[in-house]
Structures are given as C-alpha cells and as structure tokens.
C-alpha cells in the first residue's frame, strides 16, 4: 500500500476538496447574483440530473448536484481522508477488493425504495457506496510513473 505522504495523494485530496467546494459555491454565487454560478451548474449538469426536488438547498438555491451525487462525492472524499489511517480496512480492501460490493448494498436497497427514500437516505447510502472506491483510485494514481525518455547525444 502506498504512503499517505505523497504529492499524488495530497493532490487528489485537494482536487476532490475543490470539487466538493464548487458544489456549494454554485448556489452561493447564484444567491449573490454572480454569473459564475451558472457556469458551475452547467459543468455539473454533465454528471448529474440536478432535479431541484432531489437536491439539498444552500442559500435558497439547489446544490449543483442531487443528494445522491453529493453523498457519492462526500463519501469519496471521506474515504480518502479516513481509510489510509485505518490499517485493518486498508489491508483488507487490498487483499479482497470485491468487498467494495458490500458498500453498494445500502444504496441498492435505497434505490429499490423509490418513493420512500429521502434526501438524507440518498446522501448517506451514496457516501457509503463511494467510501472505499477512493482508496483504489488513490492506489491506481500512485502506480502512474513518468516515462523516462533517454535521448542519445550523438
């Protein structure tokens, strides 16, 4: 397992933090009548349906993504921050990657309860589902190496 003290790890944490921050920034900018909020909403419309009745609200406006997507991104971020510091879970996931399927079970049940589920159930089950995936993305990122190009000086 890679070390937490790598620039790739901190870069990934920073990127995901900015991603989450922009989800909150969009409604705030819109409430301040700043045009940039519309651009953020447009960006996130490519990854989420953004139906207002399925979104949490901030500043009187819906977040840039629905409750489930908010949970997925939040769970991914939390997984990056927590899993590397829980050696038991990290090593278990490394040895048996199929265990992540168990993390999807609550979201599958929530999907089947369409009409009964709530914003909070969508967010929480989304967070549970994406929690372990972040560590696999991080491990994969750590495997990327810069190719060494040798040039002859002839």
């Amino acid at each position: 397992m890679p070390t937490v003290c790598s620039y790739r790890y901190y870069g990934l944490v920073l990127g995901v933090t900015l991603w989450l921050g922009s989800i909150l920034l969009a409604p705030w900018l819109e409430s301040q009548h700043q045009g940039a909020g519309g651009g953020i909403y447009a960006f996130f419309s490519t990854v989420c349906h953004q139906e207002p009745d399925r979104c949490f609200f901030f500043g009187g406006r819906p977040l840039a993504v629905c409750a489930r997507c908010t949970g997925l991104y939040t769970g991914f971020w939390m997984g990056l921050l927590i899993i590397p510091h829980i050696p038991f879970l990290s090593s278990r996931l490394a040895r048996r990657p199929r265990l992540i399927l168990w993390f999807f079970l609550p979201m599958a049940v929530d999907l089947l309860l369409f009409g009964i589920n709530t914003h909070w159930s969508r967010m929480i089950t989304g967070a549970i589902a994406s929690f372990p995936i972040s560590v696999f993305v991080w491990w994969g990122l750590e495997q990327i190496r810069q190719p060494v190009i040798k040039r002859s000086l002839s």
Side-chain angles (χ1 to χ4, degrees), residues 10 14 19 53 60 64-65 71 79-80 83 89 95 97 102 109 132 147 154:
Y10 289 113
L14 176 63
W19 183 274
D53 61 325
V65 295
L80 277 177
I83 292 177
L89 185 55
R95 284 191 322 269
W102 288 103
V109 170
S154 51

Side-chain angles (χ1 to χ4, degrees), residues 87-105:
F88 169 75
L89 185 55
S90 295
S91 63
R92 194 99 190 235
L93 286 170
R95 284 191 322 269
R96 301 187 67 202
R98 288 188 200 146
L99 286 174
I100 65 169
L101 296 175
W102 288 103
F103 288 83
F104 280 87
L105 190 57

Side-chain angles (χ1 to χ4, degrees), residues 51 53-54 68 108-117 122:
E51 293 178 21
D53 61 325
R54 297 250 179 124
R68 181 159 289 128
V109 170
D110 191 54
L111 285 168
L112 294 174
L113 298 175
F114 185 75
I116 300 173
N117 55 19
R122 291 180 193 123

Side-chain angles (χ1 to χ4, degrees), residues 4 12 33 38 41 58 61 66 71 80-81 84 89-90 94 96 102 138 140-141:
V4 177
L12 184 58
H33 306 292
Y41 278 110
F58 180 69
R61 302 237 181 342
C66 69
L80 277 177
L81 296 178
L89 185 55
S90 295
R96 301 187 67 202
W102 288 103
W138 167 48
L141 199 60

Side-chain angles (χ1 to χ4, degrees), residues 7-67:
Y7 71 90
R8 288 182 180 102
Y9 172 77
Y10 289 113
L12 184 58
V13 170
L14 176 63
V16 176
T17 302
L18 292 173
W19 183 274
L20 278 173
S22 62
I23 290 169
L24 289 171
L25 185 62
W28 183 79
L29 287 172
E30 286 286 309
S31 71
Q32 302 298 313
H33 306 292
Q34 301 294 321
I40 297 171
Y41 278 110
F43 170 78
F44 280 108
S45 72
T46 63
V47 294
C48 181
H49 56 73
Q50 297 177 325
E51 293 178 21
D53 61 325
R54 297 250 179 124
C55 295
F56 287 110
F57 278 68
F58 180 69
R61 302 237 181 342
L63 294 184
V65 295
C66 69

